[in-house]
Amino acid sequence: MSGSKRTLLVVFILLISGLILSAAPDLQNSPDVTNINDFRTDRVAFHYIQLVDKEGKALPERNLNRDTSEATLLIIDRGQLTLLKDGFDDPAQIKDKEKDYLNKIYKFTRLKDLEQEYYKLPESERTKPSSKTEPNQAETNKPNNTPGTSAEPEEKNKEFDLLLKYDDELLKSYAAEKAAYAEYSRTERIYGKDSPKTSSLRARFEEQKSKTQERKKFLLGFLHNTSADSNPYPGDRKEQIFYTNHSNGLPDFYLHSTTPREVDGLIKGEEEVGKKYGQLFKTAIDRLIDSQIDKLYYYIWNRDMTNTRIKVDRFLKGKKVTVVTGDSTVYTMIDKEGDGITESFFVDSPGLKFSWGKEVPNIISISNCTDQGILTKIKALGDDVSSGRIPKKVDKLDLAIPEEQILLELKPLLKNL
């Protein structure tokens, strides 16, 4: 194979790989008032994601821009939407944390660049390190004019220009110093050096000049005493933990909407939301999972009559079991560790127009479950289905409108929504 053909083949493979990766569903995409596409049909749905280890550290295989531990119960009743979330992290706080990290990494990078460029200057252009032991002390090659004796802004040279180039704080301080000097000198020409106004502006200029000198001294002290501690690396973006509120079985966020894309009711905080809606949250999730497991068992018991298909594939250390029922509902059970415990359980109905994310299962989406209440229900599913063991025989099932049936059962708990 020629070099050009081999290159084209490699490019083609990379493109296909990129398409496959980009097509993978983002299972961290949870239901929100802005991404639900159908409010007309009453229904119950559940989303759960757990990408946090036992020590609370986020796992590497995650979308950095989405919550790593969150459970969301979605209820549409009489055309009105209710969302109950457990492990909710306020987006405004996440944004502040990200901004703080970006500021730290920016300052780290600028100081590293300054350090590299500084020692390219001729020695004659660099300030000599002070013989003192303090890390932020430096003495210049020229007489040091301190505020109060100097009548002009900081004198520029190659060293000072370099400091201004890489340090925003120094640049801002120097600009303020020059502006203060211009105002002071103009006033002195008009009113004289002994006028109260001139004296006030002189004091402001000298104060700003002092700030510039202090920042310059700090930077030179850093350059003369560089170490890992003097400019600590804040860590890679993927190592940062911005989402710190983890799901624990109690809802801490409530949203109610009577009109699509608009919020009519909003409550945050586990104490209030958990107390008011905790029972509804747990009961609805239990009932939804139980009903879908019953439906799965029904179709497997009647697989020949309903044309239900079962497929078992290897997945990481364990396996993935996929069941496509007679009404085209897709059940997926994943045991990624190979320890006989189903950690992930998905129920998707492709025929439904309803969804909250591209290719995210639209009835139940449970990923990497650690909730013991939920695990009690799903942990044996993968092994049972793949081995043909069905522990519960379901002869009859009302398949017409299961979501509405669940809502009828939950009606006493829905009255306060």
Side-chain angles (χ1 to χ4, degrees):
M1 182 182 292
S2 67
S4 59
K5 288 183 179 180
R6 185 161 46 247
T7 301
L8 287 173
L9 178 60
V10 171
V11 171
F12 177 75
I13 292 172
L14 290 174
L15 285 172
I16 293 298
S17 300
L19 289 172
I20 292 172
L21 289 173
S22 64
D26 184 358
L27 297 175
Q28 286 174 251
N29 188 20
S30 65
D32 186 74
V33 69
T34 60
N35 64 11
I36 296 168
N37 68 343
D38 180 13
F39 288 74
R40 293 170 295 180
T41 306
D42 291 352
R43 68 180 67 258
V44 179
F46 180 58
H47 172 269
Y48 175 103
I49 188 77
Q50 184 70 285
L51 292 176
V52 177
D53 62 20
K54 295 179 180 179
E55 297 177 353
K57 186 177 180 180
L59 301 179
E61 65 271 17
R62 72 189 193 277
N63 183 331
L64 300 178
N65 300 313
R66 297 193 188 278
D67 205 329
T68 51
S69 176
E70 186 179 272
T72 303
L73 173 68
L74 178 153
I75 298 174
I76 299 178
D77 181 34
R78 293 162 294 174
Q80 298 186 21
L81 169 71
T82 299
L83 293 177
L84 290 171
K85 290 180 178 287
D86 170 24
F88 173 78
D89 285 272
D90 194 320
Q93 294 180 2
I94 299 301
K95 190 174 182 180
D96 288 342
K97 292 178 183 178
E98 290 178 331
K99 186 177 180 181
D100 181 60
Y101 168 74
L102 291 174
N103 186 47
K104 288 179 181 178
I105 200 72
Y106 173 76
K107 289 183 177 179
F108 168 82
T109 304
R110 299 296 283 177
L111 284 177
K112 289 292 287 186
D113 292 342
L114 171 61
E115 182 184 350
Q116 292 178 359
E117 292 295 320
Y118 183 71
Y119 287 98
K120 293 179 182 178
L121 290 174
E123 187 175 351
S124 60
E125 297 286 346
R126 303 198 302 260
T127 297
K128 294 180 181 179
S130 171
S131 58
K132 299 178 182 180
T133 57
E134 288 84 352
N136 288 332
Q137 295 292 327
E139 54 187 22
T140 61
N141 295 326
K142 304 178 182 64
N144 183 24
N145 295 319
T146 59
T149 62
S150 173
E152 295 182 355
E154 170 76 21
E155 183 180 349
K156 296 186 70 176
N157 52 39
K158 290 183 179 180
E159 178 187 68
F160 191 64
D161 284 345
L162 191 65
L163 298 181
L164 290 173
K165 177 182 177 182
Y166 284 102
D167 190 73
D168 293 343
E169 187 175 334
L170 180 65
L171 181 62
K172 183 179 179 181
S173 178
Y174 184 61
E177 177 187 336
K178 291 197 337 183
Y181 174 74
E183 189 176 5
Y184 150 63
S185 59
R186 184 172 57 251
T187 302
E188 185 181 45
R189 287 194 303 270
I190 298 173
Y191 298 101
K193 64 180 181 179
D194 296 325
S195 75
K197 187 171 185 179
T198 301
S199 297
S200 175
L201 291 175
R202 184 191 302 118
R204 184 194 300 175
F205 159 63
E206 290 176 349
E207 179 184 359
Q208 194 59 56
K209 183 178 177 66
S210 176
K211 291 181 180 178
T212 302
Q213 289 289 327
E214 285 299 317
R215 185 61 185 173
K216 176 185 175 183
K217 185 170 70 172
F218 168 83
L219 292 171
L220 292 176
F222 160 75
L223 291 167
H224 297 152
N225 298 274
T226 55
S227 67
D229 293 333
S230 63
N231 185 27
Y233 179 54
D236 292 344
R237 171 65 177 84
K238 63 183 179 180
E239 296 172 352
Q240 306 306 308
I241 301 176
F242 297 139
Y243 296 90
T244 56
N245 184 24
H246 301 158
S247 57
N248 63 357
L250 279 176
D252 45 37
F253 174 88
Y254 161 89
L255 181 148
H256 188 72
S257 174
T258 57
T259 307
R261 308 291 183 266
E262 294 184 5
V263 178
D264 299 293
L266 185 64
I267 306 174
K268 299 177 183 178
E270 185 176 292
E271 184 175 350
E272 185 175 359
V273 179
K275 182 178 180 180
K276 195 170 184 179
Y277 300 107
Q279 185 180 356
L280 169 61
F281 186 75
K282 185 179 186 309
T283 304
I285 293 170
D286 287 346
R287 185 66 190 93
L288 176 63
I289 295 174
D290 288 342
S291 69
Q292 289 299 329
I293 291 176
D294 283 350
K295 179 179 175 180
L296 173 64
Y297 287 162
Y298 171 82
Y299 272 103
I300 293 178
W301 269 108
N302 299 278
R303 59 183 299 186
D304 293 334
M305 181 180 66
T306 59
N307 193 31
T308 295
R309 303 178 301 282
I310 301 174
K311 183 181 179 183
V312 181
D313 296 302
R314 293 184 62 184
F315 186 87
L316 300 179
K317 298 178 182 178
K319 61 186 173 185
K320 178 173 76 172
V321 183
T322 306
V323 179
V324 182
T325 66
D327 68 347
S328 298
T329 302
V330 180
Y331 292 82
T332 306
M333 293 140 276
I334 297 177
D335 168 13
K336 67 176 182 179
E337 299 295 337
D339 55 3
I341 297 176
T342 299
E343 307 101 350
S344 299
F345 178 51
F346 306 105
V347 183
D348 185 46
S349 181
L352 289 178
K353 294 181 180 179
F354 169 78
S355 70
W356 63 80
K358 184 180 180 182
E359 297 186 25
V360 179
N362 58 6
I363 298 177
I364 294 177
S365 179
I366 299 175
S367 304
N368 299 312
C369 185
T370 58
D371 183 286
Q372 292 303 313
I374 296 175
L375 276 178
T376 299
K377 299 176 183 296
I378 70 170
K379 65 180 181 180
L381 271 179
D383 272 0
D384 286 345
V385 172
S386 61
S387 62
R389 295 191 307 268
I390 307 301
K392 181 180 179 181
K393 184 175 182 179
V394 182
D395 292 319
K396 296 180 180 180
L397 195 67
D398 183 4
L399 300 174
I401 43 175
E403 290 87 0
E404 291 186 10
Q405 181 62 38
I406 294 173
L407 288 173
L408 286 174
E409 296 174 15
L410 295 174
K411 199 164 188 177
L413 297 174
L414 299 177
K415 60 184 178 181
N416 294 325
L417 294 181

